[in-house]
Amino acid sequence: FEDQTGNFTNSPTVCKFSIRILLGFATNPSWKLKSVDVTSAFLQSATIDRDVYIQPPRGYCRPGFVWKLKKPLYGLGDASRAWYFTISGALKEVCSISRVDKTTFFVRENNQVIGIITIHVDDLLLTGTERFFERVTPAISMFKLGRVETSTFTYLGWEIEKERAEITLSQQKYAKLARDDVMSRLQMKPMPFAAEELSIEQEETMRSCIGKLSWLANQTMPYLSFGLLDLTTKSGWTGSDVRALTKVARSVQPTKIVYRNINWERATLQVYTDASLGNLEGSKSGAGHVVYLYDGAVRNLVTYSCGTVKRVVKSVFAAELYSMSEGVSDAINIRNFLGDILDRLLPITVWTDSNQVFHTVRKISSQPRDKGTILVLREIQDYLETEVIEVEWIGSKENYADCFTKKGVSPELILSSLK
């Protein structure tokens, strides 16, 4: 069934950082972690609010008769939206909803958060105390449920396992399948010469392989990101690019992201940012950042990004400054998300390995040579002045974002932060 009326509407999808933060809360030894699947979710939505008629399936047809839908079927443009409003309406009876991520719900009692829920269409992820589950179970039990799993399960392609105060997140099964498939498909026969342009069929193979590896890079294997970015920014591929992608695939290794019980009273957001000038095709500049929750002892991954500077820049300073701006923006968004749940705002520390950026943002009277950066500079300085952020310098060899902006960087540093 496919809706061809043009009445297509969107519904919220869960943010990856919301799931990672939920997992951070779930490391509390007294909290349970559950995954719940809703069976035939769209058919459990509220009655559809528009007239939709369909031709009955074979065996049910009668001359002159059509069926009028009472519930949104899969294929209707607004089916997912209708289900979201149904499930969110039920949850809002017993939970508060995040202002930042509309798929996240939480419960606070006696000035403490006691549980969190995220929803992705018909897949629910819940963590909390016994009291939390007593409170939300009646609202969820209104719906016909399928799979309900506790502590160890796969959620949205992530293999999740909880053991008391520690949670591991990985994609090991998919990673092995993807690596083997990509390595096999890139053994092209005949193998194109280094400078030889690829055929249309070979380009399709490259796109498919990059897509598979990008899924890993964006979820659990950040160290793959720059090698894939370097390839996707090219306007045409040659035999040397096939070899480069093969090298990326070969570097795929079993990666487990570990979340540990964090002290929320001491928790801060730590942002590491980096950039490189004109190191991509077309003189584009690479930029990246990574955000952690950190309490002085435990460091939990929240989000990361590897991409290009969105504007044309002419100096390393400008590239680094724009990268910092992107990292700060992400961190403030996460800070506001956590602010709803914790009822307080966490401090943010931004780390840069650029001496020039570090000193310039701290001098309110500074006038950069690149006049196009003034507004970005003033924005960061305003955050500093109002104590929304602190900015610190760090050496390149200690910068967790270093692997997002250049070739040849060992993955060991970023991997050490995930263990």
Short mmCIF file of all heavy atoms in Angstrom, two decimals, residues 369-400:
data_model
loop_
_atom_site.label_atom_id
_atom_site.label_comp_id
_atom_site.label_asym_id
_atom_site.label_seq_id
_atom_site.Cartn_x
_atom_site.Cartn_y
_atom_site.Cartn_z
N ARG A 369 41.97 38.67 11.44
CA ARG A 369 42.25 39.12 10.08
C ARG A 369 41.15 38.69 9.12
O ARG A 369 40.79 39.41 8.20
CB ARG A 369 43.60 38.57 9.61
CG ARG A 369 44.80 39.14 10.37
CD ARG A 369 46.09 38.53 9.82
NE ARG A 369 47.25 39.04 10.53
CZ ARG A 369 48.50 38.64 10.29
NH1 ARG A 369 48.72 37.72 9.35
NH2 ARG A 369 49.51 39.15 10.97
N ASP A 370 40.64 37.48 9.33
CA ASP A 370 39.55 36.97 8.50
C ASP A 370 38.24 37.54 9.04
O ASP A 370 37.67 37.05 10.01
CB ASP A 370 39.53 35.44 8.56
CG ASP A 370 38.52 34.83 7.58
OD1 ASP A 370 37.64 35.57 7.11
OD2 ASP A 370 38.62 33.63 7.31
N LYS A 371 37.76 38.63 8.42
CA LYS A 371 36.58 39.35 8.92
C LYS A 371 35.31 38.50 8.89
O LYS A 371 34.36 38.77 9.61
CB LYS A 371 36.36 40.64 8.13
CG LYS A 371 37.55 41.59 8.15
CD LYS A 371 37.95 41.95 9.57
CE LYS A 371 39.16 42.89 9.58
NZ LYS A 371 39.63 43.17 10.96
N GLY A 372 35.32 37.45 8.06
CA GLY A 372 34.14 36.59 7.99
C GLY A 372 33.91 35.77 9.25
O GLY A 372 32.84 35.18 9.43
N THR A 373 34.91 35.74 10.12
CA THR A 373 34.78 34.94 11.35
C THR A 373 34.31 35.76 12.55
O THR A 373 34.12 35.20 13.63
CB THR A 373 36.13 34.29 11.71
OG1 THR A 373 37.08 35.33 12.01
CG2 THR A 373 36.66 33.44 10.57
N ILE A 374 34.13 37.05 12.37
CA ILE A 374 33.85 37.92 13.52
C ILE A 374 32.58 37.49 14.27
O ILE A 374 32.57 37.39 15.50
CB ILE A 374 33.74 39.40 13.09
CG1 ILE A 374 35.13 39.92 12.72
CG2 ILE A 374 33.14 40.26 14.19
CD1 ILE A 374 35.15 41.35 12.24
N LEU A 375 31.50 37.22 13.55
CA LEU A 375 30.25 36.87 14.22
C LEU A 375 30.37 35.57 15.00
O LEU A 375 29.85 35.44 16.11
CB LEU A 375 29.11 36.77 13.20
CG LEU A 375 28.67 38.09 12.55
CD1 LEU A 375 27.54 37.83 11.56
CD2 LEU A 375 28.22 39.10 13.61
N VAL A 376 31.06 34.58 14.40
CA VAL A 376 31.27 33.31 15.09
C VAL A 376 32.14 33.52 16.33
O VAL A 376 31.86 32.97 17.40
CB VAL A 376 31.91 32.28 14.15
CG1 VAL A 376 32.19 30.97 14.89
CG2 VAL A 376 31.01 32.01 12.96
N LEU A 377 33.18 34.32 16.18
CA LEU A 377 34.06 34.62 17.30
C LEU A 377 33.30 35.29 18.44
O LEU A 377 33.42 34.91 19.61
CB LEU A 377 35.21 35.51 16.84
CG LEU A 377 36.15 36.03 17.93
CD1 LEU A 377 36.84 34.87 18.64
CD2 LEU A 377 37.17 37.00 17.36
N ARG A 378 32.47 36.29 18.10
CA ARG A 378 31.72 37.02 19.13
C ARG A 378 30.72 36.10 19.84
O ARG A 378 30.48 36.23 21.04
CB ARG A 378 31.00 38.22 18.52
CG ARG A 378 31.93 39.28 17.95
CD ARG A 378 32.77 39.94 19.03
NE ARG A 378 33.66 40.95 18.46
CZ ARG A 378 34.98 40.88 18.49
NH1 ARG A 378 35.57 39.84 19.06
NH2 ARG A 378 35.71 41.83 17.96
N GLU A 379 30.13 35.17 19.08
CA GLU A 379 29.19 34.23 19.69
C GLU A 379 29.89 33.38 20.74
O GLU A 379 29.37 33.20 21.86
CB GLU A 379 28.57 33.34 18.62
CG GLU A 379 27.58 32.33 19.16
CD GLU A 379 27.05 31.39 18.09
OE1 GLU A 379 27.85 30.94 17.26
OE2 GLU A 379 25.84 31.14 18.09
N ILE A 380 31.06 32.84 20.40
CA ILE A 380 31.80 32.03 21.35
C ILE A 380 32.24 32.87 22.55
O ILE A 380 32.17 32.44 23.71
CB ILE A 380 33.01 31.37 20.66
CG1 ILE A 380 32.53 30.35 19.63
CG2 ILE A 380 33.93 30.69 21.68
CD1 ILE A 380 33.61 29.75 18.78
N GLN A 381 32.67 34.11 22.28
CA GLN A 381 33.07 35.00 23.38
C GLN A 381 31.89 35.32 24.30
O GLN A 381 32.06 35.42 25.52
CB GLN A 381 33.68 36.28 22.82
CG GLN A 381 35.06 36.06 22.20
CD GLN A 381 35.61 37.30 21.52
OE1 GLN A 381 34.85 38.14 21.03
NE2 GLN A 381 36.93 37.42 21.49
N ASP A 382 30.70 35.46 23.74
CA ASP A 382 29.51 35.68 24.56
C ASP A 382 29.25 34.49 25.48
O ASP A 382 28.89 34.67 26.65
CB ASP A 382 28.28 35.93 23.68
CG ASP A 382 28.27 37.31 23.06
OD1 ASP A 382 29.04 38.17 23.53
OD2 ASP A 382 27.50 37.53 22.10
N TYR A 383 29.42 33.29 24.94
CA TYR A 383 29.23 32.10 25.77
C TYR A 383 30.27 32.05 26.90
O TYR A 383 29.97 31.64 28.02
CB TYR A 383 29.36 30.83 24.92
CG TYR A 383 28.18 30.57 24.00
CD1 TYR A 383 28.38 30.10 22.70
CD2 TYR A 383 26.87 30.78 24.43
CE1 TYR A 383 27.31 29.85 21.85
CE2 TYR A 383 25.80 30.53 23.58
CZ TYR A 383 26.02 30.08 22.30
OH TYR A 383 24.96 29.83 21.47
N LEU A 384 31.49 32.48 26.58
CA LEU A 384 32.53 32.54 27.61
C LEU A 384 32.20 33.57 28.68
O LEU A 384 32.31 33.30 29.88
CB LEU A 384 33.88 32.89 26.97
CG LEU A 384 34.76 31.73 26.50
CD1 LEU A 384 35.91 32.27 25.66
CD2 LEU A 384 35.31 30.97 27.70
N GLU A 385 31.78 34.74 28.23
CA GLU A 385 31.50 35.83 29.16
C GLU A 385 30.34 35.50 30.09
O GLU A 385 30.35 35.87 31.27
CB GLU A 385 31.18 37.11 28.37
CG GLU A 385 31.06 38.36 29.24
CD GLU A 385 30.84 39.61 28.42
OE1 GLU A 385 30.87 39.53 27.18
OE2 GLU A 385 30.62 40.67 29.03
N THR A 386 29.34 34.79 29.58
CA THR A 386 28.17 34.42 30.39
C THR A 386 28.37 33.08 31.10
O THR A 386 27.42 32.56 31.70
CB THR A 386 26.90 34.36 29.52
OG1 THR A 386 27.13 33.46 28.41
CG2 THR A 386 26.55 35.73 28.97
N GLU A 387 29.57 32.53 31.01
CA GLU A 387 29.95 31.30 31.70
C GLU A 387 29.14 30.09 31.27
O GLU A 387 28.92 29.16 32.04
CB GLU A 387 29.88 31.48 33.22
CG GLU A 387 30.81 32.57 33.73
CD GLU A 387 30.78 32.70 35.23
OE1 GLU A 387 29.85 32.17 35.87
OE2 GLU A 387 31.71 33.33 35.80
N VAL A 388 28.66 30.11 30.02
CA VAL A 388 28.01 28.92 29.46
C VAL A 388 29.08 27.87 29.16
O VAL A 388 28.86 26.67 29.35
CB VAL A 388 27.23 29.28 28.18
CG1 VAL A 388 26.69 28.02 27.50
CG2 VAL A 388 26.09 30.22 28.52
N ILE A 389 30.26 28.33 28.71
CA ILE A 389 31.36 27.42 28.40
C ILE A 389 32.66 27.93 29.00
O ILE A 389 32.77 29.11 29.38
CB ILE A 389 31.56 27.26 26.87
CG1 ILE A 389 32.01 28.59 26.24
CG2 ILE A 389 30.29 26.74 26.20
CD1 ILE A 389 32.43 28.47 24.77
N GLU A 390 33.62 27.02 29.09
CA GLU A 390 35.02 27.36 29.32
C GLU A 390 35.81 26.83 28.14
O GLU A 390 35.42 25.80 27.56
CB GLU A 390 35.54 26.73 30.62
CG GLU A 390 34.92 27.28 31.89
CD GLU A 390 35.50 26.64 33.13
OE1 GLU A 390 36.37 25.74 32.99
OE2 GLU A 390 35.11 27.03 34.24
N VAL A 391 36.88 27.50 27.77
CA VAL A 391 37.72 27.04 26.65
C VAL A 391 39.12 26.76 27.18
O VAL A 391 39.70 27.58 27.89
CB VAL A 391 37.78 28.09 25.52
CG1 VAL A 391 38.73 27.63 24.42
CG2 VAL A 391 36.38 28.32 24.94
N GLU A 392 39.64 25.57 26.85
CA GLU A 392 40.96 25.16 27.29
C GLU A 392 41.77 24.68 26.09
O GLU A 392 41.22 24.25 25.08
CB GLU A 392 40.87 24.05 28.34
CG GLU A 392 40.10 24.41 29.60
CD GLU A 392 40.84 25.41 30.47
OE1 GLU A 392 42.05 25.65 30.22
OE2 GLU A 392 40.22 25.94 31.41
N TRP A 393 43.10 24.75 26.22
CA TRP A 393 44.00 24.26 25.16
C TRP A 393 44.43 22.84 25.49
O TRP A 393 44.60 22.48 26.66
CB TRP A 393 45.21 25.16 25.03
CG TRP A 393 46.15 24.72 23.93
CD1 TRP A 393 46.08 25.02 22.62
CD2 TRP A 393 47.29 23.86 24.09
NE1 TRP A 393 47.08 24.42 21.92
CE2 TRP A 393 47.85 23.69 22.81
CE3 TRP A 393 47.88 23.21 25.18
CZ2 TRP A 393 48.97 22.91 22.59
CZ3 TRP A 393 49.00 22.43 24.96
CH2 TRP A 393 49.53 22.29 23.67
N ILE A 394 44.63 22.04 24.45
CA ILE A 394 45.12 20.68 24.62
C ILE A 394 46.03 20.35 23.44
O ILE A 394 45.82 20.85 22.32
CB ILE A 394 43.95 19.67 24.70
CG1 ILE A 394 44.43 18.30 25.16
CG2 ILE A 394 43.21 19.57 23.36
CD1 ILE A 394 43.30 17.34 25.50
N GLY A 395 47.05 19.55 23.65
CA GLY A 395 47.95 19.16 22.56
C GLY A 395 47.25 18.25 21.57
O GLY A 395 46.33 17.51 21.92
N SER A 396 47.70 18.27 20.32
CA SER A 396 47.07 17.47 19.27
C SER A 396 47.06 15.98 19.60
O SER A 396 46.11 15.27 19.29
CB SER A 396 47.78 17.70 17.94
OG SER A 396 47.62 19.03 17.51
N LYS A 397 48.14 15.52 20.24
CA LYS A 397 48.23 14.09 20.54
C LYS A 397 47.25 13.66 21.64
O LYS A 397 47.06 12.47 21.85
CB LYS A 397 49.66 13.74 20.95
CG LYS A 397 50.66 13.87 19.81
CD LYS A 397 52.06 13.46 20.23
CE LYS A 397 53.04 13.56 19.08
NZ LYS A 397 54.42 13.15 19.47
N GLU A 398 46.64 14.64 22.31
CA GLU A 398 45.68 14.33 23.37
C GLU A 398 44.26 14.70 22.96
O GLU A 398 43.33 14.55 23.74
CB GLU A 398 46.05 15.08 24.64
CG GLU A 398 47.41 14.73 25.20
CD GLU A 398 47.81 15.66 26.33
OE1 GLU A 398 48.05 16.86 26.05
OE2 GLU A 398 47.87 15.20 27.47
N ASN A 399 44.11 15.19 21.72
CA ASN A 399 42.81 15.66 21.25
C ASN A 399 42.02 14.49 20.64
O ASN A 399 42.39 13.96 19.59
CB ASN A 399 42.99 16.77 20.21
CG ASN A 399 41.68 17.45 19.84
OD1 ASN A 399 40.60 16.95 20.15
ND2 ASN A 399 41.78 18.58 19.17
N TYR A 400 40.93 14.12 21.28
CA TYR A 400 40.14 12.98 20.82
C TYR A 400 39.52 13.22 19.44
O TYR A 400 39.13 12.27 18.76
CB TYR A 400 39.03 12.66 21.82
CG TYR A 400 39.54 12.17 23.15
CD1 TYR A 400 39.36 12.91 24.31
CD2 TYR A 400 40.19 10.94 23.25
CE1 TYR A 400 39.82 12.46 25.54
CE2 TYR A 400 40.66 10.48 24.47
CZ TYR A 400 40.47 11.24 25.61
OH TYR A 400 40.93 10.79 26.82
#
